[in-house]
Amino acid sequence: MELCIRKICEDIDKYRSFTMLPRDISQLIFNHLVDSCSLSDNCIEAFRHCALHDMCMGECTRVKDKWMDVISSQGSSLLSAYISSTEVTDFGLSLLSNCSNLQALGLDCCDRISACGIKHISGFTNLTYLGFRKCCGLSAEAMKSLSSLMKLVKLDFERCPLIHGGFIHLEGLTNLESLTIRSCKCITDSDLKPLEGLLNLKELQISCNDITNAGASYLRDLDKLVVLNLEGSDVTASCLDYLTAFTSLKSLNLNRCHLTDDGCEKFSALSNLKELNLGFNNITDTCLGHLKRLTKLESLYLDSCRISNDGLAHLAGLSNLKALELSDTEVGSNGILQLSGLKKLEDLNLSFTSVTDSGLTKLSGLTSLRSLNLDTRQITDSGLAVLTGLTGLTHLDLFGAQITDSGTKYLSFFRNLQSLDLCGGQLTDAGVRNIKDLTSLMLLNLSQNLKLTDTALEFLSGLTSLVSLNVSNSRITNDGLQHLKPLKNLRSLYLEFCGVTACEIKKLQATGLPNLARYRPNQ
């Protein structure tokens, strides 16, 4: 079936209509065209009246009112539609009025939809999900049209700049379980007051700069919250007075707030937390001393905090930790010893720390590690050599590390690698030869290795699982592009500041890489 679908999509211009096919087959064809970024004005017409359940456009930004007419033709069969386009207008949205069974509707980046167009959404009373990401047309007045959507379970207002004062219209949406108001710069404490009656909320994503402790106080009765994100808010540890009552809370994000050690003893009451983000705060080792009781923690983010080697001793008992972020801290090689007992650790970020090759020897027992970030110039070939026992690694970031051609021979131990970053190293084509057998690689960054030539691309031609490849700032030329033709899964290609032109990449896209969606240089 998969081969048939692929063949139909390759010859899509030969087909005028798929109405004669079973709905599930038409759906598979549509999904494949979306995934390969191949939907166009011509082929979208073939899906008119196909009674599809889902028309989710993914990253396709070419959606326009003509397409909305085709989407509308699915009628009562249509259950979900996700659209991300600046071309759709109020008229296009009005065309969906006969899709009475819509349960999920996403309208990302639809800048030409105004309050007048949003009124049509009030008729979609079966909606359980509604998203307005980056939608400049959504205003406080337009939010009146949402007050009748009583079945809404999930609502997303990410980066909507005009919604201040409109939350009063959400007071009656008592079935809401998830609300996102991320990166909406206009939101203030007063906008949170109408939320205090939404007692079924389980996930609340706010992250707005003007929210203070006063605004957080309106959340005190939302005791079903499982996920709370206050990233970037102007709150302090005082807001924990309200949050400590949230016994169900499993994820708390206080990244880029204004926390200091004062009041951090209140963290010890959040005993069910599995994820805690305290990055970019002015906290020290003292704060870590109050986290010792959070024994259920699986993810802890402390990037850019004033954490030292001594502070890591407080984490030794957090035996369930799977992810630990320590980038840009004062942690060095001596502190790594404190992590040796975290046997479940899968993701460790030590970038921009003072960890050296000798410190990495203390990681040898962490055999569960899947992801390791060592973005630091103090790591050399010797450091890579001591990691060879971590054969389960699927992600290895050595951005800026001093890895040479000789060091790349150690990469052969990491057969499971799916992502590898060797940006800014000292590699030549000879070093790339040692990467050619890492056949599980999906993302590869070799940028800023200035001596790489077209021969490097020849060595990479067998990595057919690659989805993203970056060889910018090298000596690659147009002639080398021929070696990329076997990489049929490639979706992103970056060859900036090379001897490669956008015109030749576009030819490669048309003749050999049908899935290529993003490339640089571009025209």
Side-chain angles (χ1 to χ4, degrees):
M1 178 62 71
E2 184 177 347
L3 290 175
C4 290
I5 299 298
R6 283 183 173 270
K7 180 60 177 174
I8 290 172
C9 291
E10 287 175 6
D11 300 330
I12 192 64
D13 291 336
K14 296 180 181 179
Y15 301 95
R16 294 292 173 263
S17 177
F18 293 119
T19 54
M20 77 295 293
L21 293 178
R23 174 168 52 200
D24 58 338
I25 303 299
S26 298
Q27 185 73 65
L28 289 173
I29 296 171
F30 180 82
N31 293 346
H32 188 277
L33 289 170
V34 170
D35 292 341
S36 60
C37 299
S38 301
L39 272 179
S40 66
D41 287 349
N42 292 330
C43 67
I44 188 71
E45 189 63 35
F47 295 96
R48 186 180 292 276
H49 300 303
C50 283
L52 298 183
H53 284 326
D54 306 297
M55 298 193 79
C56 304
M57 304 298 183
E59 298 178 359
C60 183
T61 58
R62 298 188 296 268
V63 182
K64 54 196 73 173
D65 287 350
K66 178 183 176 182
W67 293 31
M68 297 294 286
D69 188 41
V70 176
I71 296 173
S72 175
S73 73
Q74 314 307 315
S76 59
S77 295
L78 191 66
L79 300 180
S80 62
Y82 290 84
I83 299 153
S84 179
S85 174
T86 58
E87 297 298 316
V88 176
T89 68
D90 291 343
F91 173 72
L93 186 56
S94 72
L95 294 175
L96 295 182
S97 58
N98 65 326
C99 300
S100 56
N101 289 325
L102 263 182
Q103 297 175 13
L105 178 62
L107 297 169
D108 297 355
C109 305
C110 294
D111 292 341
R112 298 177 65 186
I113 294 178
S114 68
C116 183
I118 291 172
K119 288 180 180 179
H120 298 290
I121 293 176
S122 63
F124 301 141
T125 54
N126 288 314
L127 281 179
T128 58
Y129 169 80
L130 180 59
F132 287 100
R133 296 179 184 176
K134 302 180 185 178
C135 190
C136 297
L138 183 67
S139 63
E141 179 184 359
M143 289 172 67
K144 291 180 182 178
S145 301
L146 311 185
S147 61
S148 61
L149 306 180
M150 303 302 295
K151 293 183 180 180
L152 273 181
V153 174
K154 186 172 184 178
L155 188 53
D156 191 341
F157 293 129
E158 185 173 347
R159 298 190 183 183
C160 294
L162 302 176
I163 58 176
H164 169 60
F167 290 87
I168 190 71
H169 305 299
L170 306 184
E171 284 184 320
L173 305 184
T174 54
N175 286 312
L176 267 185
E177 295 181 7
S178 175
L179 177 61
T180 297
I181 324 170
R182 266 200 303 256
S183 302
C184 298
K185 296 181 180 179
C186 58
I187 300 302
T188 65
D189 291 339
S190 62
D191 289 301
L192 300 191
K193 183 169 178 52
L195 307 185
E196 59 187 353
L198 303 181
L199 301 181
N200 284 312
L201 274 181
K202 296 179 181 178
E203 178 178 1
L204 182 57
Q205 306 271 356
I206 300 178
S207 61
C208 300
N209 294 337
D210 294 326
I211 299 300
T212 70
N213 291 333
S217 70
Y218 294 126
L219 310 179
R220 58 162 61 92
D221 293 327
L222 306 183
D223 56 7
K224 291 185 180 179
L225 278 177
V226 176
V227 177
L228 178 60
N229 181 357
L230 291 170
E231 180 176 356
S233 301
D234 191 16
V235 298
T236 67
S238 296
C239 74
L240 294 176
D241 289 334
Y242 320 119
L243 306 188
T244 49
F246 298 167
T247 56
S248 298
L249 199 63
K250 294 183 179 179
S251 177
L252 177 60
N253 187 346
L254 295 173
N255 183 286
R256 299 180 188 274
C257 294
H258 297 273
L259 302 185
T260 64
D261 293 336
D262 293 339
C264 283
E265 67 277 1
K266 298 165 188 173
F267 281 116
S268 61
L270 299 174
S271 58
N272 285 315
L273 276 184
K274 290 188 175 183
E275 180 178 19
L276 178 59
N277 191 334
L278 297 175
F280 293 89
N281 282 297
N282 197 30
I283 58 173
T284 71
D285 298 340
T286 300
C287 178
L288 297 195
H290 301 304
L291 306 183
K292 292 188 291 187
R293 295 183 183 179
L294 307 185
T295 55
K296 294 182 181 180
L297 270 184
E298 296 179 1
S299 302
L300 179 60
Y301 302 92
L302 299 167
D303 38 322
S304 299
C305 294
R306 294 165 56 198
I307 305 302
S308 71
N309 294 332
D310 293 338
L312 296 189
H314 298 302
L315 307 182
L318 304 183
S319 58
N320 287 307
L321 270 185
K322 296 180 180 179
L324 180 58
E325 168 70 71
L326 294 169
S327 64
D328 203 16
T329 61
E330 299 169 18
V331 169
S333 295
N334 292 335
I336 301 302
L337 182 62
Q338 308 291 348
L339 307 180
S340 60
L342 304 180
K343 300 300 184 182
K344 294 183 180 180
L345 205 59
E346 298 177 0
D347 187 344
L348 178 61
N349 191 335
L350 295 169
S351 61
F352 302 109
T353 62
S354 58
V355 174
T356 62
D357 291 342
S358 60
L360 296 183
T361 60
K362 303 177 179 69
L363 298 179
S364 58
L366 302 181
T367 54
S368 293
L369 271 183
R370 297 291 180 266
S371 177
L372 180 59
N373 189 325
L374 294 168
D375 182 354
T376 170
R377 289 195 170 274
Q378 299 188 69
I379 302 300
T380 68
D381 295 343
S382 298
L384 189 54
V386 302
L387 297 176
T388 53
L390 305 178
T391 55
L393 283 178
T394 59
H395 171 87
L396 180 58
D397 190 339
L398 293 163
F399 183 106
Q402 302 298 297
I403 305 300
T404 68
D405 292 341
S406 178
T408 58
K409 65 187 177 185
Y410 300 115
L411 294 175
S412 63
F413 290 85
F414 308 120
R415 294 289 182 175
N416 296 313
L417 274 185
Q418 297 175 15
S419 173
L420 175 62
D421 194 325
L422 287 167
C423 172
Q426 304 173 25
L427 302 188
T428 69
D429 296 338
V432 178
R433 184 193 293 270
N434 292 323
I435 297 174
K436 67 182 180 64
D437 294 325
L438 300 178
T439 55
S440 295
L441 277 179
M442 299 175 67
L443 293 91
L444 177 60
N445 186 357
L446 297 174
S447 64
Q448 299 182 47
N449 287 286
L450 305 180
K451 297 181 180 180
L452 297 185
T453 71
D454 293 343
T455 302
L457 294 190
E458 185 176 1
F459 289 140
L460 300 178
S461 62
L463 302 181
T464 55
S465 295
L466 276 181
V467 174
S468 178
L469 175 62
N470 190 340
V471 202
S472 298
N473 293 88
S474 65
R475 298 178 184 175
I476 306 295
T477 69
N478 286 332
D479 292 338
L481 295 181
Q482 62 177 318
H483 300 304
L484 299 180
K485 289 183 178 179
L487 308 183
K488 302 299 183 185
N489 290 310
L490 205 62
R491 299 193 65 181
S492 301
L493 176 61
Y494 303 99
L495 291 164
E496 294 177 287
F497 304 107
C498 300
V500 175
T501 62
C503 180
E504 290 302 313
I505 297 181
K506 199 165 186 177
K507 287 181 183 178
L508 175 68
Q509 180 188 35
T511 59
L513 298 179
N515 292 320
L516 191 62
R518 292 177 294 277
Y519 60 85
R520 295 177 184 169
N522 48 29
Q523 292 176 325

